[in-house]
Amino acid sequence: MKLLRYEDPKTYIHTYGLEDNPFFKDKNLRYVFTVKENATMQDLKDKEHDIKHLNLTYDRVVM
């Protein structure tokens, strides 16, 4: 499964999630990028930890 990043062109918020998440279903593919191939839920949790630890205000994670 892929770990994806959606870059919202209006708010500039980066949203990370696994490709099977319904969040990515209706998004414009022009703004969806693959962060990692063969990702697991642990990769997503690690990303969430990094975002909180680094206090990144424009990054989000969807589970």
Side-chain angles (χ1 to χ4, degrees):
M1 187 167 313
K2 294 179 185 177
L3 178 62
L4 301 177
R5 179 181 74 229
Y6 171 69
E7 297 180 3
D8 191 313
K10 295 177 184 170
T11 63
Y12 303 112
I13 292 176
H14 297 161
T15 305
Y16 296 87
L18 296 175
E19 68 180 329
D20 65 346
N21 192 299
F23 174 83
F24 295 102
K25 191 170 193 157
D26 298 329
K27 300 300 180 195
N28 184 341
L29 295 180
R30 180 177 186 185
Y31 303 109
V32 176
F33 302 94
T34 300
V35 175
K36 183 176 181 181
E37 298 279 343
N38 299 320
T40 63
M41 183 59 82
Q42 185 60 44
D43 293 317
L44 187 59
K45 289 178 183 178
D46 291 344
K47 178 58 79 177
E48 182 178 38
H49 176 267
D50 293 345
I51 289 169
K52 287 180 182 177
H53 180 69
L54 298 173
N55 199 25
L56 301 174
T57 57
Y58 290 102
D59 289 23
R60 306 280 189 272
V61 171
V62 291
M63 296 279 186

